[in-house]
Each structure stands twice: as structure tokens, then as C-alpha cells.
Amino acid sequence: MSGMNQLIIAPILLPLVTASLMLLIGEKHRWLKARLNLLSTALGLGIAVTLLMWVRTQGQAESIGVYLPGNWPAPFGIALVVDHLSALLLTLTGIVGLSALLFARARWDGAGASFHALFQIQLMGLYGAFLTADLFNLFVFFEVLLAASYGLLLHGSGRARVKAGLHYIAINLFASSLFLVGAAMLYGVTGTLNMADLALKVPLVPEADRGLLHAGAAILAIAFLAKAGMWPLNFWLVPAYSSASAPVAALFAIMTKVGLYAILRMWTLLFSGQAGASAFFGGDWLVYGGLATLAVAAMSILAAQRLERLAALSILMSAGTLLAAVGFGQSILTGAALFYLASSTLALCALFLLAELVERSRSANEAPLDDEEDAMPSPLESLHPPKGINLDDEQQAVIGQIIPWTMAFLGLSFIACALLIIGMPPLSGFIGKLNLISALFNPQGLGVATEQPLGTAGWILVTLLVLSGMASLIAFGRVGIQRFWKPEERPSPVLRRYECVPIVILLGLCIFLSLKAEPLLRYTQDTAASLRTPETYIKAVMATRPLPGPTTAGLEVQP
């Protein structure tokens, strides 16, 4: 048990040590830094999967791991906690990080300085944000991942990246200031910043101070919601994500989930049903804010022309769906939302990577790749047969048209991404949306009779889920026709293995989730159930005792 608890800090220490080594190596040995980065990211994923397999053994307190880095008990010292929710997001971070890095190895890692060190620092911030059990340390890890993201967003230069990067930096600095103000107000009212201790102190806040408590929580929520992408705080997200390089945008697909994680963690701990007069404070704001985000994103996606912008707007649709579903405060609905989170994150990461390859096909590879000996085989023929060969009476080619396999790969991958994001069968996106709708109609679970009405907000969410899927279908169909169906004579793009493998991995995982949806649904339902009973988390954190220090047993002290 203690050995597994000590493994909790490994996802934070591993990228920190790796980034430090990279800074010592310098830019002359970029090939060594690339291999070190790949090894460290793969090890981080392995650790995350190990923690995931450990916490899924049972839903009791014993499966919540707590590590005290300073060997001080909570709430006086720093605490790192891994439970069902954090383990799931750790694993998603590792998968997305490894996929983005593999894609970057094709050429993007050499487009600027310190890419590999910034990449590891970004992973460190993400892992730390999902593991920390202290509000101030959550702020610290937020700043770590944001500082790295500033450099990664500008990686590759370009006027569009600089312009979007300035807006991105400004809004995140403002959100960080709100984070500090909100945390300070909560500390002033409760006298603690440990999340578990905050959950114990909130029901005891005097009525005279409850308004100050709610004001601090609301200011803190604004900071989280700005990072999660809720409308109207998300005006910065689409320009920033669509301007970033493909591997960076793919890594950013998990960053909006940090804000959602913080909202879900803090709301279910501080304002649960046991919070007294503050129970479920702000739930309606989450519901209607998520609905507004989903509606605006669905309308905006109809006007999207570029595939990168389509992917960025799909992130907002996912964020709106998740925020609205979480705000209902129903365990079954939260479990379905977490399944949808896993599927949509993998699909959006694949779409960001695929977008660059599809857009490259439009330029007919005018900018050749370096190191072409590792490139994919050249295409066999053009999409259309040469004029004047073997035509029948109806001017149709006798011999079937040969589709280059590179174009076939891009087309099939695009169809898979579209099906996942739209939510059409038979892939996991459909399963996620179907479970969301089922949970809305029957919040007590399938097979259980209920007379509880769906409610206005529930009907609006069901309607928007359907309409947003139709809007995505129109948008993806239009872009697909323009990119793949419209008859234009162009050479097929040259693809490299490093660019194709991560897309295959991500889409393969989505297909695996489609075939093995039941185990993940059970896991996410267990996760939601544990979030709705925060006593288990609070007990695990507050009951963890520091390890005993060295003693003088057996030694005689001479006077």
C-alpha cells in the first residue's frame, strides 16, 4: 500500500527531472532530447495506467491513494491524492501527450527552441493539477502548465500564432488573478485551503460569512470556467487552438479538461448535499452556462471553413455538454458525461493531428519534408485517370480508378473522427451521447421506474444534443466534400510514419472503447458515485498520517 502511495508523486517528478536534464543538454543534441522526451512520456503513461488499474479495484477508501510530500498531515502539509477521477484524467493526459509527441517527431519538434523541455513542463503541470488536494498548489500547477503553454503556443512562430498567443496570455493572466482572489477569500472565511478540510469547514461557516464564502467560490469558478471554455469567457480559445501547431493543439485538447476537473472536484466536495445552506450552490449557473456554450458553438460550427477551426469549435461543444451535464448533480448523468469526456478527448486530439495532414494535401506538398528517407511510400496514381484511356461508350473508365492509399488513409480517418464527434453509431461518441440522453430521461438508471419529470433544462439539453450533432454533421460533411470529394488534380500528400501512427492509435482506442464500452461505463459510474459521496475522499485525506521519523531507540544518551 505504501509503495503504491509513493508512486503518486512519480508523474510529477518524472517530467520535472526530464525537463531539467534537457536544459542541461542544450540545443546541440536535439536528437538525444527527443528520445529522452519520448521515453519519459511513455513511462509517465505507464505510471498513469498503473494507478488507474489500482484504483479501479474497489470503490472504497482503501483504493484512494494519498501521499504527503512534506510528511506533514493534512491540512497543514501538501497532499497528493489519486482516486477514480484523477486516475482517469492522468491516463488521458498520458495518451494525448504521447500521441502529440510522436506526431511532433516528424518535424514540429525542430521548429523552435526548447520544445521538448516545454513539453515535459506542460505534462508536469497537467499531472500535478489532477493529483493535488490543495487549492493553492492547484494554482501553482495551473501556472506551471500555463507558462509552458505560452511557449508551446508560439512554437513555430508566425503572425497568427503571435496574435492569438497575446490574447491567450492576457485572458489566462486575468483568470489567474481571479484564482488568487477567490482562494484568498475562501481562506479568509474557512482558514484552510486543503480541499478535504474545506469540505469539512463549509457547513460550519456562520450565516453572516456565508455571502463572502459564496462570493469567493463564484470568483474562483469564473477562473475555472474561463479555462474550461464556457461562453462568454471562451472568445480566446478558438483563435488560439486553431493557430497552434498540430501537436500543440492536440495536447491542448486535454487542457480545457483541467478547468472542468477543478469545477467538478471543488463543487462536489465543497457544495455537496452535506454542505448545509451552501448545498449545490451554483449548479444552475453550470447548467445554463453549459447550455449557452453548446448552443453558441453549434451555431458557430456551421460557419467554420478550416478544419482546425472546426476542431476548436468541437472542443467548445464538448465543454458545453460536459458543464451542463455535471451541473445537474445526478450521479448517473455525471458518469455518462465522464465516458463522453474520454471519447471526445481522444477524437479531438486525433482531429487536430489529422487537420494538418488534410490541409497539407491541398497545397500538393509544395514544402517538402526533411529527411525523406523515412517518408511514406509515394502515391501510386492520381485520383483521376489520365485523359483518353480505355473509356466505354458512356465515357466511364473501364479500369477502376485508383485511390492513393495516403488519400484513403486521410479520408477514412476523417470519417472516423467525424462519426465520433457528431455522435453517430457505431462508435463511442454515439454511446456517450446515448447514455447522456438516457440518464436525462431516467436519472435513477436504466431498468428503474421513475416518475421524476425531465424538466425544462433537461429538455433543452436533449434538444441541443440532437441539434448540435446535426450542426456537426453539416459542417463535417461540407468540409469533407471540399477536401476529399471536390474534383481537383493534386498530387497526394507525402506522409511519414510518425504522423500516421498516433492517429491510428487514437482512433484505435476510440474503436476499442466502442467494443468494450461496458467496463469504462462501469468505471465512470463508480467515479460519479464516489464524487457524490465525498466522505470517502475526505476520510482518506484527513486520516493519512505522516511516516514515523528516525528514533533513538536502543541508543543511550550520555549526560
Side-chain angles (χ1 to χ4, degrees):
M1 188 72 162
S2 60
M4 186 60 67
N5 286 346
Q6 293 175 3
L7 189 64
I8 297 173
I9 199 172
I12 301 174
L13 287 181
L14 181 62
L16 175 62
V17 173
T18 304
S20 303
L21 291 176
M22 290 177 179
L23 293 176
L24 293 175
I25 293 174
E27 292 296 322
K28 293 183 178 179
H29 303 285
R30 186 170 291 174
W31 61 272
L32 179 59
K33 294 167 68 173
R35 286 164 173 76
L36 187 61
N37 192 1
L38 192 61
L39 176 62
S40 176
T41 305
L43 286 175
L45 174 58
I47 294 171
V49 172
T50 302
L51 293 173
L52 177 71
M53 299 302 294
W54 178 64
V55 299
R56 72 184 291 268
T57 54
Q58 53 186 348
Q60 302 175 357
E62 290 77 9
S63 65
I64 298 179
V66 182
Y67 181 76
L68 305 175
N71 209 33
W72 285 79
F76 307 106
I78 299 173
L80 301 177
V81 179
V82 61
D83 63 349
H84 281 69
L85 179 61
S86 56
L88 174 63
L89 289 169
L90 287 176
T91 304
L92 282 176
T93 301
I95 294 171
V96 169
L98 184 60
S99 301
L101 181 58
L102 284 173
F103 191 93
R105 286 285 293 115
R107 59 175 178 176
W108 275 112
D109 61 341
S114 302
F115 173 83
H116 295 288
L118 289 171
F119 193 92
Q120 285 295 308
I121 294 173
Q122 175 89 36
L123 289 179
M124 172 193 167
L126 289 168
Y127 285 139
F130 293 138
L131 286 172
T132 186
D134 183 89
L135 195 56
F136 182 77
N137 287 285
L138 179 61
F139 170 77
V140 172
F141 285 118
F142 258 94
E143 294 307 300
V144 168
L145 69 91
L146 287 175
S149 69
Y150 299 153
L152 290 175
L153 179 59
L154 298 174
H155 183 76
S157 69
R159 181 174 180 177
R161 291 194 181 101
V162 173
K163 181 180 178 180
L166 291 176
H167 294 163
Y168 174 80
I169 292 172
I171 190 64
N172 279 286
L173 288 177
F174 178 71
S176 297
S177 301
L178 292 179
F179 195 143
L180 278 180
V181 172
M185 293 177 68
L186 288 180
Y187 182 78
V189 174
T190 63
T192 184
L193 287 177
N194 181 276
M195 295 180 187
D197 198 35
L198 275 169
L200 294 175
K201 297 291 179 61
V202 166
L204 306 178
V205 172
E207 191 62 31
D209 294 334
R210 194 162 298 278
L212 190 60
L213 170 72
H214 290 173
I219 293 174
L220 196 64
I222 292 174
F224 292 149
L225 292 172
K227 300 175 190 297
M230 191 185 82
W231 184 85
L233 307 173
N234 55 16
F235 61 90
W236 56 272
L237 190 145
V238 174
Y241 282 38
S242 59
S243 300
S245 63
V248 173
L251 184 61
F252 282 6
I254 193 68
M255 272 187 49
T256 53
K257 306 306 183 289
V258 179
L260 177 72
Y261 166 83
I263 286 288
L264 184 57
R265 175 70 73 192
M266 296 296 295
W267 191 56
T268 54
L269 278 176
L270 273 62
F271 303 109
S272 66
Q274 292 78 34
S278 297
F280 305 112
F281 168 73
D284 290 340
W285 286 96
L286 290 179
V287 172
Y288 289 104
L291 294 176
T293 305
L294 181 57
V296 172
M299 289 186 291
S300 301
I301 205 171
L302 291 173
Q305 299 295 327
R306 293 175 48 228
L307 194 51
E308 296 91 343
R309 191 172 181 85
L310 195 64
L313 287 168
S314 297
I315 283 186
L316 295 184
M317 294 178 63
S318 172
T321 302
L322 293 169
L323 287 171
V326 166
F328 279 90
Q330 299 171 0
S331 180
I332 299 295
L333 188 58
T334 302
L338 291 174
F339 180 92
Y340 174 78
L341 181 149
S343 173
S344 63
T345 300
L346 297 176
L348 289 168
C349 179
L351 182 60
F352 273 115
L353 299 180
L354 184 67
E356 180 186 323
L357 304 185
V358 173
E359 295 301 324
R360 186 193 302 168
S361 68
R362 303 182 69 196
S363 61
N365 289 316
E366 294 176 0
L369 300 177
D370 297 328
D371 191 21
E372 288 296 340
E373 68 273 6
D374 197 24
M376 289 294 194
S378 58
L380 297 176
E381 286 189 28
S382 169
L383 182 62
H384 300 282
K387 295 182 179 179
I389 65 160
N390 296 330
L391 299 179
D392 59 16
D393 294 337
E394 298 181 0
Q395 299 298 306
Q396 299 293 327
V398 176
I399 301 175
Q401 299 178 6
I402 299 178
I403 300 178
W405 80 273
T406 50
M407 291 301 297
F409 170 78
L410 295 179
L412 292 174
S413 299
F414 177 83
I415 292 173
C417 288
L419 291 176
L420 285 164
I421 295 170
I422 295 168
M424 295 183 65
L427 299 182
S428 55
F430 169 75
I431 298 174
K433 286 194 174 183
L434 180 62
N435 277 273
L436 285 171
I437 295 174
S438 298
L440 284 167
F441 279 107
N442 192 343
Q444 298 181 13
L446 296 177
V448 179
T450 179
E451 297 180 359
Q452 180 176 352
L454 186 58
T456 303
W459 279 112
I460 294 174
L461 180 54
V462 170
T463 303
L464 286 178
L465 284 174
V466 176
L467 293 180
S468 63
M470 295 177 62
S472 297
L473 176 61
I474 295 171
F476 276 95
R478 182 183 64 248
V479 172
I481 290 173
Q482 292 175 348
R483 300 300 187 270
F484 298 102
W485 196 261
K486 188 176 179 179
E488 292 186 18
E489 288 289 347
R490 295 193 195 102
S492 296
V494 177
L495 307 181
R496 300 183 61 186
R497 291 181 177 88
Y498 280 128
E499 295 173 324
C500 296
V501 168
I503 296 175
V504 173
I505 292 174
L506 291 168
L507 295 179
L509 287 173
C510 291
I511 295 173
F512 179 77
L513 290 182
S514 306
L515 299 175
K516 300 291 183 179
E518 185 178 358
L520 181 58
L521 279 171
R522 284 202 304 268
Y523 182 91
T524 57
Q525 292 297 340
D526 290 342
T527 303
S530 65
L531 290 173
R532 299 304 168 191
T533 54
E535 300 85 359
T536 303
Y537 182 96
I538 297 170
K539 178 182 177 182
V541 175
M542 302 303 293
T544 302
R545 303 265 67 90
L547 296 176
T551 63
T552 57
L555 299 179
E556 294 184 1
V557 180
Q558 298 296 330

